[in-house]
Amino acid sequence: MSDFFDPLETRDPAAREAALMAALPAQIAHAQASSTAYTELLAGVDAAAVSSRAALARLPLTRKSSLSAAQAARRTLRLGGYAAGMPRRIFQSPGPLYEPEPDADGADPWRIARALHAAGIRAGQLAHVGFSYHLTPAGAMMEAGLRALGAASFPGGVGNTELQLRALLDLQPEAYAGTPSLLRILLEKAADAGQALSLRRALVSGEACPPALVAWFAERGVQACQCYATADLGLIAYQTEAREGLVVDEGVIVEIVRPGSGEPLPEGEVGEVVVTTLSPGYPLIRFATGDLSAVLPGASPCGRSNQRLRGWLGRADQSAKVRGMFVHAGQLAELLKRHAELRRVRLVVDGEMADDRMTLLAEVEGAPQGLDAAVAATLRELTKLRGEVSLVAPGSLPNDGRVIEDRRSV
């Protein structure tokens, strides 16, 4: 495959960045005017001045916990005041957390068609949708994308695998959109029955799909690509036939920040994925996903020119309970602010429960005398706990986004 969903995918990166930054002030102003929550959160912010990544990075983060708390406290506003007006549909995720359809006027409100196209699904084909249509939006997200692409859908949902297998054999769909685990079950059940399915392309999400499973699908004639999407944000990034990272969607601005803070990290560093959407219906600004990833250098061999993410690398919301006190990633981010000499840190907790030991490993080059004692004092001030400090050479700590490592046995 060498064709693209639209010309946006192959834009000059500088032109794309200029377009995103040109759209950002209007989105900030729209959020301030249309979302009660952002009217408060961004009070005093000059929207016209937020026209660069540096200016964006000075705005506060929004977290799922913020959405949940606002929804619980502001029931009369239904969605906690974050939505811009009344959406066409509202869904529920575990928590419970309620999410609106982000763009009531768009044919593809979660922007999934781009990922479906990259996975090889085309107009005129039939796709079996293996996501839930009950409460959560995943099934609706895929169906809207397929409709925008000009493809038809069969709403298989989850469960009822015997009926789903019957539909697959009767309707002979070319494509699948759903979880990788359900796709595997359906392929195995078909093989057990001595039947071959017609599926050739798949867009999978919602679960991990390691390379070994992608290869397992390929051995059975199904080329599967993954996408990274959430109910809040819609499509964030998607895999292409190059299978080298996930290409960022054209309708979002992605930052990678230091876990526990909103500080942007340079290309290649692992940190938390933070997303700003250009959706008018649900204008989330600097939404912290809680997921770890990193920006890959260079452009994808497939010809798409947007940023690429390495994929899901773990969770950023790290914490550990030490001697009855919780230690959070945010405390270590504050420590780094106070000691600019330090590059990367990792707090290692070991020993036995009730006899915990904390050691802060800190990368530094040419440490001034007394730095370890000063850092230890800051660590105690921030966490209310004593800990050892070990200064190590730059590059000693793995670039995996982990700032707290709990080595204690359960």
Side-chain angles (χ1 to χ4, degrees):
M1 296 185 303
S2 59
D3 59 325
F4 302 101
F5 181 71
D6 59 25
L8 298 178
E9 295 184 348
T10 55
R11 280 185 291 180
D12 177 77
R16 175 184 293 106
E17 185 71 3
L20 289 173
M21 294 305 106
L24 186 55
Q27 181 71 338
I28 300 297
H30 170 66
Q32 290 173 315
S34 306
S35 161
T36 306
Y38 280 117
T39 299
E40 298 174 6
L41 191 62
L42 302 180
V45 172
D46 178 7
V50 186
S51 58
S52 67
R53 288 183 180 265
L56 179 63
R58 290 192 285 269
L59 302 183
L61 297 179
T62 299
R63 295 192 175 276
K64 276 190 183 289
S65 57
S66 305
L67 302 183
S68 298
Q71 289 181 13
R74 304 177 176 186
R75 294 188 184 279
T76 56
L77 296 179
R78 289 189 180 87
L79 294 165
Y82 279 90
M86 176 55 67
R88 183 165 53 190
R89 290 187 291 181
I90 296 175
F91 299 90
Q92 184 191 78
S93 292
L97 179 65
Y98 297 96
E99 293 120 345
E101 186 170 300
D103 184 0
D105 297 325
D108 184 16
W110 292 275
R111 309 176 313 282
I112 300 295
R114 187 178 303 281
L116 292 161
H117 185 273
I121 301 170
R122 295 291 182 265
Q125 294 182 341
L126 172 64
H128 186 104
V129 179
F131 277 121
S132 175
Y133 281 76
H134 177 61
L135 296 177
T136 62
M141 291 168 73
M142 290 295 157
E143 186 163 302
L146 288 163
R147 187 179 299 117
L149 197 63
S153 62
F154 176 79
V158 296
N160 300 309
T161 53
E162 297 299 333
L163 289 175
Q164 295 210 46
L165 183 59
R166 176 63 184 270
L168 283 162
L169 295 171
D170 288 345
L171 297 174
Q172 296 287 297
E174 296 90 348
Y176 169 90
T179 62
S181 58
L182 178 58
L183 177 57
R184 179 164 191 161
I185 289 170
L186 292 169
L187 288 168
E188 288 176 336
K189 283 187 173 292
D192 291 343
Q195 300 280 357
L197 297 184
S198 55
L199 299 175
R200 293 296 175 263
R201 298 283 181 178
L203 179 66
V204 297
S205 191
E207 300 168 348
C209 188
L213 184 53
V214 173
W216 189 91
F217 290 142
E219 290 168 1
R220 287 149 184 83
V222 182
Q223 300 299 315
C225 287
Q226 304 174 59
C227 77
Y228 174 27
T230 73
D232 326 273
L233 300 162
L235 182 66
I236 299 171
Y238 58 97
Q239 195 174 42
T240 73
E241 71 272 17
R243 301 189 185 281
E244 293 188 13
L246 303 178
V247 178
V248 171
D249 178 53
E250 298 293 328
V252 295
I253 299 169
V254 171
E255 304 169 82
I256 302 295
V257 307
R258 191 181 303 282
S261 79
E263 175 194 353
L265 291 172
E267 184 179 272
E269 286 288 309
V270 175
E272 184 174 11
V273 179
V274 169
V275 181
T276 296
T277 75
L278 300 179
S279 164
Y282 204 28
L284 293 176
I285 309 298
R286 300 203 81 204
F287 187 80
T289 64
D291 295 324
L292 291 174
S293 193
V295 173
L296 286 173
S300 172
C302 71
R304 293 170 178 84
S305 59
N306 207 346
Q307 287 177 301
R308 291 178 299 156
L309 301 181
R310 279 178 56 187
W312 187 81
L313 301 176
R315 292 293 294 172
D317 43 358
Q318 303 164 44
S319 65
K321 196 171 188 179
V322 183
R323 297 172 226 150
M325 302 282 287
F326 276 106
V327 181
H328 300 278
Q331 293 167 317
L332 300 179
E334 177 61 27
L335 182 144
L336 281 168
K337 284 184 181 178
R338 298 190 188 184
H339 297 280
E341 311 96 321
L342 304 182
R343 296 188 179 181
R344 192 182 289 152
V345 299
R346 175 171 295 201
L347 186 69
V348 176
V349 184
D350 58 10
E352 302 294 331
M353 289 295 183
D355 187 23
D356 308 307
R357 295 189 300 271
M358 286 197 329
T359 302
L360 183 74
L361 306 177
E363 290 185 357
V364 64
E365 185 171 6
Q369 188 174 3
L371 178 62
D372 52 351
V375 172
T378 302
L379 180 65
R380 185 179 182 187
E381 177 190 345
L382 292 172
T383 66
K384 313 306 179 189
L385 296 164
R386 290 182 182 273
E388 299 295 321
V389 173
S390 177
L391 303 179
V392 299
S396 300
L397 299 177
N399 178 24
D400 58 7
R402 293 185 66 183
V403 294
I404 299 177
E405 181 180 356
D406 193 340
R407 296 180 181 173
R408 296 170 295 187
S409 57
V410 179

